[in-house]
Amino acid sequence: MSNADKKILVTGASGGIGRAVSVAAAKAGYYVIAHYNHGKEKAEETLSLIKEAGGQGELIQFDVCDREDCRVKLDAICEKYGALWGVVSNAGVTKDNAFPGLSGEEWDFVVHTNLDSFFNVIQPLTMPMCRKKRGRIITISSVSGIMGNRGQTNYSASKAGLIGATKALALELASRSITVNAVAPGFIETDMVKDAPADMILPTIPMKRAGKPEEVAAAVVFLLSEEASYITRQVISVNGGLI
């Protein structure tokens, strides 16, 4: 199969890492199904960038926290296109707070969005992939899921859980020639970290700079490729040498 015949889904494609992944994948020739929940205008900007890059794609809207909404929309995609070649589970949120002051709502919002979405989005897509005996599943975790981070107990827990789920699913699907890997970005220039204290964070990074979304996207696009067919159950860190 050429990349032009391969459909991939990127969740959280309206900005930041999701947008960079969508555009990079389009440049590599994949047909990109770019997901958003809120922020349709930003998602449309992503689709415009996909087309400007010479790629093809479309938008899809659903709430990654709503299991039934995910299943209905994703079943329809599989009915339309058959098994997808790949899914990049990128949608994520933060709601930072010191643990003693962390509310139940802040915990649930982050865990439901970042971790429950693994099941809600990926599970409906796996059986079609299994029937075809091919596919790429990539989750976007975080350095916080590996080493933890002050004020991010909820976020770190969700991203660490994502790594565990990724590794377990990789074992289940390896015999079907479906690879399952995680990419764990560090401090990346996105809206998610715009209020972070860069003057405190940058000195802790060996490369002394923030990463770019395109640098994360390059790792993701490689994992989507045929050349990555023997790489599975791995966590690829893109963090400037932080850990």
Side-chain angles (χ1 to χ4, degrees):
M1 294 176 66
S2 70
N3 285 354
D5 297 321
K6 296 173 181 174
K7 311 292 192 299
I8 69 164
L9 169 71
V10 181
T11 66
S14 58
I17 291 172
R19 173 174 289 178
V21 168
S22 298
V23 173
K27 288 180 178 178
Y30 298 100
Y31 183 95
V32 180
I33 303 167
H35 158 267
Y36 72 98
N37 185 21
H38 306 296
K40 184 178 181 181
E41 185 174 320
K42 287 187 176 181
E44 289 174 339
E45 290 173 5
T46 297
L47 186 58
S48 293
L49 291 171
I50 287 170
K51 293 179 178 179
E52 286 175 17
Q56 292 185 304
E58 65 186 82
L59 298 181
I60 186 171
Q61 186 278 331
F62 56 83
D63 181 355
V64 297
C65 297
D66 186 329
R67 189 162 297 160
E68 184 60 25
D69 190 25
C70 290
R71 182 166 295 279
V72 168
K73 302 290 179 56
L74 295 173
D75 282 351
I77 284 291
C78 290
E79 182 70 23
K80 181 178 180 180
Y81 293 122
L84 299 184
W85 169 258
V87 53
V88 182
S89 184
N90 164 75
V93 296
T94 58
K95 189 67 73 170
D96 297 351
N97 203 346
F99 189 71
L102 191 71
S103 69
E105 290 77 13
E106 289 170 329
W107 176 273
D108 289 345
F109 175 62
V110 170
V111 172
H112 289 334
T113 304
N114 297 356
L115 184 54
D116 290 359
S117 61
F118 177 92
F119 180 87
N120 296 345
V121 173
I122 295 174
Q123 202 272 345
L125 300 174
T126 52
M127 188 55 73
M129 286 183 175
C130 286
R131 294 191 186 105
K132 289 289 186 180
K133 294 186 177 181
R134 67 173 192 234
R136 303 283 186 267
I137 296 171
I138 300 159
T139 62
I140 305 300
S141 181
S142 169
V143 65
S144 295
I146 298 173
M147 61 184 288
N149 197 22
R150 184 187 298 272
Q152 289 194 321
T153 305
N154 51 357
Y155 185 73
S156 296
S158 68
K159 292 299 189 175
L162 202 55
I163 289 172
T166 298
K167 286 179 172 285
L169 185 60
L171 288 175
E172 291 190 25
L173 300 184
S175 65
R176 299 283 183 170
S177 299
I178 301 167
T179 66
V180 190
N181 294 288
V183 172
F187 189 62
I188 307 297
E189 294 175 348
T190 65
D191 287 344
M192 188 176 284
V193 302
K194 65 182 179 181
D195 296 323
D199 57 331
M200 296 176 61
I201 296 171
L202 294 180
T204 70
I205 301 171
M207 294 192 76
K208 306 302 181 186
R209 69 171 177 86
K212 300 181 183 302
E214 291 78 13
E215 293 172 311
V216 179
V220 173
V221 171
F222 172 68
L223 291 173
L224 284 169
S225 71
E226 295 280 5
E227 289 78 8
S229 61
Y230 201 55
I231 300 173
T232 196
R233 208 184 176 206
Q234 303 305 304
V235 180
I236 310 299
S237 293
V238 184
N239 61 29
L242 187 57
I243 55 171

